[in-house]
Amino acid sequence: MNYDVIIVGACTAGTFFANQLAMRGLSVLVIDKDSEQDLCKRLDIIHFTRDSFEQFGVPESLPGDEEFVRHFNLCYSKSALNNHLKENKINVSVLHLPLFIKRLRNTAKQNGVEFLFEKKFVDLLRDDDGRICGVVTEDGSKYTCRLVVDASGIPSVVRRVVRDKYVEDFAIGPRDKFYVLLKYVKLNDPNLTIEHSTSWQYYKGWIAPQHTPGGAIIGVGANLSFDYARKCMAKFESAIPLPDYTLQYEEMGSTPYTRPPFSFVGDGFLCIGDAAALTKPMNGEGIPMAWGHCMIAADVVANALKEGYPTAEKLWDINVQYQRAEGAEYAGLRAMLVGAMKMTAKDNDYLFKESIVFKSDDYVAKSSEAARLVKGVLTGQFALKSFVNFVRAIGIGNKLTKHYKNFPTNIQDFDKWRTKALKLWKKAGSMADTVTDAD
Ligand SMILES: Cc1cc2nc3c(=O)[nH]c(=O)nc-3n(C[C@H](O)[C@H](O)[C@H](O)COP(=O)(O)OP(=O)(O)OC[C@H]3O[C@@H](n4cnc5c(N)ncnc54)[C@H](O)[C@@H]3O)c2cc1C
């Protein structure tokens, strides 16, 4: 059978996107290297904002559903010196990922999506003109289609071999991701429960609810390696007085922490989810981010396929719509956060004290952030060096946001846009540059 679309990767991005395309009348095949029963088992508990269900048309997981764990509605954060609690009202769903993905898959199947498991993508099929026309799997099978979608997560197995002038083939390497170490723990005090999440951004550490009564998840994310993440966990736990606990088990995984490719599309190609490095700069959440991008892409793909072969030109509007909106916002935020991390614990404490970057929902500013930063320097509460780094990062972030808002609608103008974007990202640096004690 010749499919309209083949998606490589059957986890949260690939399965969601497949369903969206099937609902628009397209024939879709999803392949995954893993067996159906092992799918997405790398992670157990996931959290994401509850309104994502309605926003992206996914039937909500509710008490009684096998994947449902619980809800909570407050997310706190505190400074590096454990002060100045910030409170944000965010309704969060806590779910078992492997069971949730099973439900998403069943919905997609009901809408006509076909799934094949234990099918590892190894190469693209090309027609006589060199255009993408399908995939080859490790067992030698060939499947044909008009559009191949990379939803393979961090390995980005298709994007890395696509060789298209618009698509970057970079690997998401150790400097470009966060190694996440999660400790599932049981609190020793039977009267204590973790009902909400609390983050200490300075340590990229947090504590959040899990599925067993009296339990919690303590997490840390860090660039470079799992070894370094473990070092960061030790630093976090020695700096912040967390409740006493007994370790149940550990989970480790990694999540992209780098800018997405400038173009998500090429001739007969699209990348989504972690393969497109789509995670929230503030907390690494990837599932709803991928869905937002997929919603844009589904309409554009459905239209492009009505007109024959989906060239980069026909898919270009995915880039335009995404990069000019969320892409612009997160590019600025990503650059700014590099500056916000290049400082001491005392400086971070001042940002919290003055609600600069880190603020509660109900905070009302009486003066500008710039004025409060200057006050911090003049009163010796905020180091001049941190001030310079931070103001510089904000400036570059603003330029990036502006540049992304002008993402070219005409594909001919892309090269010029990309050249300037590369210069700005070089100036912005990366979160990995802020690591000072990896050895
Ligand atoms: C520890 C940790 C905790 C997280 N917690 C949250 C959270 O609470 N909330 C949230 O929103 N996000 C969370 N994230 C991020 C989130 O898990 C990812 O952003 C999301 O799972 C990415 O989904 P994806 O479908 O793009 O890729 P993946 O989940 O990586 O799926 C890729 C799929 O492609 C398949 N594949 C790979 N190579 C091939 C190949 N050659 N051929 C065929 N198939 C292939 C894989 O088997 C896999 O099934 C967390 C990440 C980590 C590491």
Side-chain angles (χ1 to χ4, degrees):
M1 163 151 180
N2 187 24
Y3 296 92
D4 289 322
V5 181
I6 293 178
I7 299 176
V8 179
C11 201
T12 46
T15 306
F16 175 83
F17 191 51
N19 188 46
Q20 289 296 323
L21 295 181
M23 289 197 305
R24 286 163 177 77
L26 300 176
S27 60
V28 186
L29 171 69
V30 184
I31 61 166
D32 202 289
K33 66 175 173 43
D34 288 347
S35 66
E36 186 163 12
Q37 60 272 23
D38 285 341
L39 204 68
C40 299
K41 283 215 172 137
R42 67 187 176 92
L43 283 182
D44 181 5
I45 298 294
I46 48 160
H47 305 78
F48 59 82
T49 43
R50 205 174 154 188
D51 58 12
S52 303
F53 288 105
E54 197 182 334
Q55 192 181 354
F56 301 118
V58 177
E60 184 169 3
S61 299
L62 291 168
D65 292 333
E66 60 175 354
E67 71 276 13
F68 180 84
V69 176
R70 54 175 291 150
H71 292 135
F72 64 90
N73 58 10
L74 287 173
C75 296
Y76 298 111
S77 57
K78 293 181 91 176
S79 79
L81 302 181
N82 203 31
N83 296 322
H84 315 301
L85 185 80
K86 306 294 170 205
E87 181 181 294
N88 298 96
K89 290 185 183 61
I90 305 173
N91 284 320
V92 178
S93 286
V94 186
L95 307 175
H96 290 288
L97 175 63
L99 295 172
F100 176 60
I101 196 70
K102 189 171 124 196
R103 194 161 70 88
L104 276 188
R105 184 165 64 252
N106 285 341
T107 309
K109 279 182 182 169
Q110 280 160 19
N111 285 320
V113 176
E114 286 181 42
F115 286 84
L116 288 176
F117 296 97
E118 298 176 70
K119 289 281 180 189
K120 184 174 180 181
F121 167 92
V122 287
D123 207 355
L124 286 161
L125 273 180
R126 296 190 186 259
D127 65 15
D128 293 344
D129 298 324
R131 295 190 321 184
I132 291 171
C133 65
V135 300
V136 185
T137 55
E138 198 174 40
D139 57 6
S141 308
K142 293 177 180 167
Y143 302 92
T144 57
C145 64
R146 286 187 285 163
L147 177 75
V148 175
V149 178
D150 190 349
S152 67
I154 287 178
S156 316
V157 291
V158 193
R159 180 173 59 73
R160 303 229 45 224
V161 299
V162 74
R163 296 191 310 277
D164 182 287
K165 64 180 171 176
Y166 298 111
V167 182
E168 292 161 276
D169 62 359
F170 61 78
I172 301 175
R175 283 175 55 83
D176 313 311
K177 57 187 174 184
F178 274 165
Y179 293 84
V180 183
L181 172 60
L182 299 178
K183 286 184 180 180
Y184 284 71
V185 302
K186 181 147 182 67
L187 304 180
N188 291 344
D189 181 346
N191 298 316
L192 211 56
T193 53
I194 299 295
E195 298 285 346
H196 306 286
S197 73
T198 307
S199 309
W200 290 261
Q201 279 88 353
Y202 185 76
Y203 302 102
K204 302 179 193 87
W206 66 93
I207 184 164
Q210 48 128 305
H211 50 295
T212 55
I217 300 174
I218 298 173
V220 153
N223 289 114
L224 305 185
S225 66
F226 286 118
D227 284 347
Y228 181 55
R230 200 171 282 288
K231 247 183 108 173
C232 292
M233 175 68 89
K235 188 172 165 188
F236 169 50
E237 292 195 79
S238 70
I240 302 298
L242 298 170
D244 286 342
Y245 64 80
T246 304
L247 183 67
Q248 296 170 307
Y249 55 95
E250 286 185 348
E251 218 172 60
M252 288 194 258
S254 53
T255 183
Y257 197 93
T258 188
R259 67 161 176 85
F262 296 135
S263 171
F264 301 103
V265 306
D267 286 338
F269 173 79
L270 164 69
C271 58
I272 60 172
D274 276 12
L278 282 168
T279 51
K280 277 191 189 165
M282 212 59 177
N283 60 11
E285 214 179 56
I287 296 167
M289 253 200 91
W291 292 354
H293 180 247
C294 286
M295 291 300 271
I296 295 172
D299 285 335
V300 179
V301 164
N303 277 331
L305 287 174
K306 274 186 209 148
E307 297 167 17
Y309 190 78
T311 57
E313 281 85 350
K314 287 186 195 154
L315 299 170
W316 198 250
D317 204 36
I318 298 172
N319 291 337
V320 177
Q321 286 192 49
Y322 182 80
Q323 301 290 33
R324 288 186 165 212
E326 193 170 88
E329 185 195 336
Y330 286 165
L333 186 57
R334 204 175 283 287
M336 188 274 287
L337 283 173
V338 174
M341 287 300 159
K342 260 190 206 164
M343 58 183 66
T344 63
K346 183 180 161 222
D347 294 332
N348 174 273
D349 194 65
Y350 182 75
L351 293 186
F352 270 81
K353 180 176 169 224
E354 292 294 331
S355 294
I356 300 168
V357 181
F358 309 103
K359 40 178 101 68
S360 295
D361 287 331
D362 57 2
Y363 176 73
V364 184
K366 296 197 184 77
S367 60
S368 71
E369 290 200 349
R372 281 174 279 149
L373 279 173
V374 171
K375 186 182 92 183
V377 175
L378 295 177
T379 55
Q381 297 175 80
F382 195 71
L384 180 61
K385 192 174 162 205
S386 301
F387 175 84
V388 172
N389 279 337
F390 191 44
V391 169
R392 182 179 173 276
I394 292 172
I396 297 168
N398 288 342
K399 281 187 188 158
L400 272 165
T401 298
K402 195 169 155 209
H403 190 54
Y404 272 68
K405 282 187 176 168
N406 286 320
F407 188 91
T409 48
N410 187 339
I411 199 167
Q412 313 296 337
D413 299 328
F414 179 61
D415 271 348
K416 199 170 151 213
W417 182 91
R418 173 167 52 190
T419 303
K420 184 167 174 195
L422 278 170
K423 278 189 190 149
L424 286 170
W425 280 114
K426 200 169 171 200
K427 282 188 186 164
S430 116
M431 196 57 94
D433 301 335
T434 66
V435 173
T436 51
D437 57 350
D439 299 330

